[in-house]
Amino acid sequence: MGRAWASGAGGGKSDFRSDLDKLGITVAEKYLAPREVEVWPQHADALEVFLQCAGQWLYLPSFGGAPVAQGLDRAAVASVMQMLGVEDTRQTLKRLQHIEAGALEVMRQR
């Protein structure tokens, strides 16, 4: 799930295609087609927390390069879990960390 989020495969409506067309840029269809990602019920809370924390990434400066993503701010994660009323915070955090790891894998390849 994290890889799909970080690679932009959320399937939401975007003006990306029209922007490419205006700029005369051709991109292979496999990079434009939205992908569906199945979410098992036991992972729904972790995904919801992850999506709610999408703006809470921590970055470290990189000498001579772009900042490097380190992960989600754990204080923000705890706050979101509390606001959402997540009951099993320990298990949700474990599942969230798997999603986060997938997202970091993609984000660090850029």
Side-chain angles (χ1 to χ4, degrees), residues 16 21 23 34 42 58 82 87 90 97:
F16 185 61
D21 290 341
L23 295 169
Q42 64 268 29
L58 297 176
Q82 183 179 10
E87 292 179 19
R90 181 179 295 242
Q97 287 172 319

Side-chain angles (χ1 to χ4, degrees), residues 18-101:
S18 63
D19 290 345
L20 290 174
D21 290 341
K22 290 175 189 173
L23 295 169
I25 299 172
T26 303
V27 177
E29 184 62 32
K30 69 178 183 177
Y31 297 113
L32 298 175
R35 297 183 314 191
E36 289 187 20
V37 178
E38 182 179 351
V39 179
W40 294 346
Q42 64 268 29
H43 297 282
D45 282 346
L47 179 60
E48 178 68 17
V49 172
F50 178 79
L51 294 173
Q52 293 298 321
C53 290
Q56 300 300 319
W57 289 94
L58 297 176
Y59 289 86
L60 288 178
S62 173
F63 299 104
V68 178
Q70 293 301 300
L72 291 170
D73 181 337
R74 291 301 184 253
V77 168
S79 178
V80 167
M81 281 196 211
Q82 183 179 10
M83 284 187 275
L84 293 176
V86 174
E87 292 179 19
D88 190 352
T89 56
R90 181 179 295 242
Q91 191 62 30
T92 301
L93 179 61
K94 287 180 183 179
R95 290 176 175 147
L96 172 73
Q97 287 172 319
H98 286 286
I99 298 170
E100 177 187 47

